[in-house]
Every structure is written in C-alpha cells, then in structure tokens.
Amino acid sequence: DEFFITFKDPSPWIDGANGLLNIHWSCDVEPVWNTSRVHAFVNVSEYHQARNPWVNPAISGVIPFGIDLKHLHCYRVSKQMDTSLYCSSPDRGLEQLLLDWPKIKEHYKVLNLRVTYGMEKIKRFSQGNPQAIAFCNHLEKLMQQPGITWLGELSRNEMAKEYWQAYFWMLPLNRADSELFCLNAVKARVAKAIPVVHKIGALRNTVKEYVPYGRFVAGDVAEVDQAAHAVDPLSWDSVVAQYWIPLFENSLSVKKVA
C-alpha cells in the first residue's frame, strides 16, 4: 500500500506490516511498543503527545480532530440564559456535578442542567458488571433533583441544538487522561457556550476562556483568560489541508531523499 494508516490499534506494525508511508494515528496513552516501522506517530493534542513520551520525537507529531462545522451551524438555535449542559461520559465528572448541584442552585436559582448520554447503553456494555450498573443507578437517582433534566442518548442533530442553547458547558473533569482532545469542548466553543471546567488534560488545548469549576460552585462566574496552546476549531477539510496533506508530502519527500 502507498499509505498505510492504523487508528488506535498498533498491532499491524508489531506484526511486521509495511507500506510506502506508515502512519499510526493514536488516540490513547499507549504502552511502549516497537515503532521502528512507523514513519509518523500522530497524537491528537499537545497533552496527548506529552503522555506518549517514549515515542521518538523525530516521528511524533500532533494533528487535532476536526468537526463538522457546517452541520453544527445548520442546527443553530437561540441561546437559553438559564441552561447548562453536561454531555461527556458520566464517569468523567458527572457525579461531582450532581453532588454539587444543591450548592450551585443556591447561587443560580433559575439555572437548569441538561444531561445527555446513553446510560442504558453503558449498562448493556458493562456485561453485567455490578459496579458499573450500581454507578449508573446512583447517577440516575442524583439526577432526580429539581432543575435537572436527563435527556439520555440523543441523535447528532438533537445534540447540535443542545450545544447552541446551552449558556454554560460543564465538565468538572476528574482524571486528566480521560480527555486527550475533547470534541465536546470544541463544539461547545463554536456554539459560544461558556466552559465551566477543571482545566486539566487536553482541556488545556481545546478550551480557551473558562470559568474554573470550583469558583463557579462558590458563585463566581468570572471567566479566566488562559488561551495559550488552545487550538482553533477546524473543519475536517481544514485539518486535512493544514495537517494531513503536508504530513504525506513531507514524509514522502524525506523517504525519497533517504
């Protein structure tokens, strides 16, 4: 093959695969493996690259994810000043947000929280794991508080509207490695939802101005301007033009010279 790209799974390289140009597109913090056959190791953020420090710097690079900007703008709706949105995996901070909700409501009387995610799907995929099922049931009980609406699993079109109508996008991230890029952060940013986050992990690369979550819980909505290293939201066409095509061209040029 002229271009051989693996996404997430490096086993072809480990098993001896080879092409004219070999690219591994990572989306994980990976254990050490033999990258001698790989010409480019693609990380999705600067944070992600730092979490794969064992990769030879000569082949390690960063290419951000793109988003479908056209689709997102097609479903634009009016901003709702009293609405906040949590739309990440429940294990990434939803419990903290729900436990803090009574305190939050003391400061923001009319604020509502809309929560999206397929909890039933998580239960099915947990293969009967009692801890996972108990965690989901625990969250469902916490979501019965006043001002919280659990929307469950939404379609792509419905989700686009949620980004636009949310005044705050919330993610009290509880583990840095849980977000190696965060598409939700980028889409919420395009939709001008104010991030209320623990700015750790790749949120440092995909979130610009934000309200620190702890301050928000205490009643402070002042935004902090920490825009360094925050990538611009890009369409997939732009990502291909700015990153992938130059990667192909430069890598092939180097190989021809070699």
Side-chain angles (χ1 to χ4, degrees), residues 167-231:
Y167 191 77
F168 296 110
W169 170 74
M170 310 187 76
L171 181 55
L173 190 61
N174 53 16
R175 182 174 173 270
D177 284 352
S178 292
E179 289 294 0
L180 298 179
F181 185 81
C182 194
L183 283 164
N184 282 327
V186 177
K187 292 177 182 179
R189 188 167 141 201
V190 171
K192 303 189 185 310
I194 298 172
V196 178
V197 301
H198 288 318
K199 199 171 183 181
I200 59 176
L203 296 185
R204 294 181 298 178
N205 304 138
T206 49
V207 170
K208 280 194 173 182
E209 293 79 9
Y210 73 108
V211 178
Y213 177 76
R215 294 189 190 179
F216 183 85
V217 173
D220 183 357
V221 294
E223 291 184 69
V224 175
D225 183 3
Q226 290 187 358
H229 306 298
V231 297

Side-chain angles (χ1 to χ4, degrees), residues 23-40:
I23 298 173
H24 179 61
W25 189 1
S26 176
C27 200
D28 300 294
V29 176
E30 301 195 23
V32 177
W33 51 274
N34 184 358
T35 60
S36 60
R37 291 183 178 273
V38 176
H39 305 122

Side-chain angles (χ1 to χ4, degrees), residues 42-107:
V42 176
N43 304 277
V44 297
S45 67
E46 290 183 5
Y47 174 78
H48 183 203
Q49 185 179 39
R51 293 295 287 119
N52 287 320
W54 55 271
V55 181
N56 183 347
I59 65 170
S60 180
V62 175
I63 297 181
F65 284 140
I67 60 174
D68 190 340
L69 288 169
K70 183 177 180 180
H71 175 268
L72 195 58
H73 281 285
C74 279
Y75 289 90
R76 184 168 186 167
V77 296
S78 299
K79 189 69 67 185
Q80 303 295 318
M81 305 288 284
D82 61 351
T83 300
S84 59
L85 172 67
Y86 181 99
C87 54
S88 297
S89 180
D91 62 326
R92 298 182 185 181
L94 179 57
E95 181 183 32
Q96 184 66 60
L97 177 55
L98 297 177
L99 291 173
D100 288 335
W101 188 246
K103 263 187 229 179
I104 292 172
K105 285 293 282 183
E106 288 178 10
H107 298 288

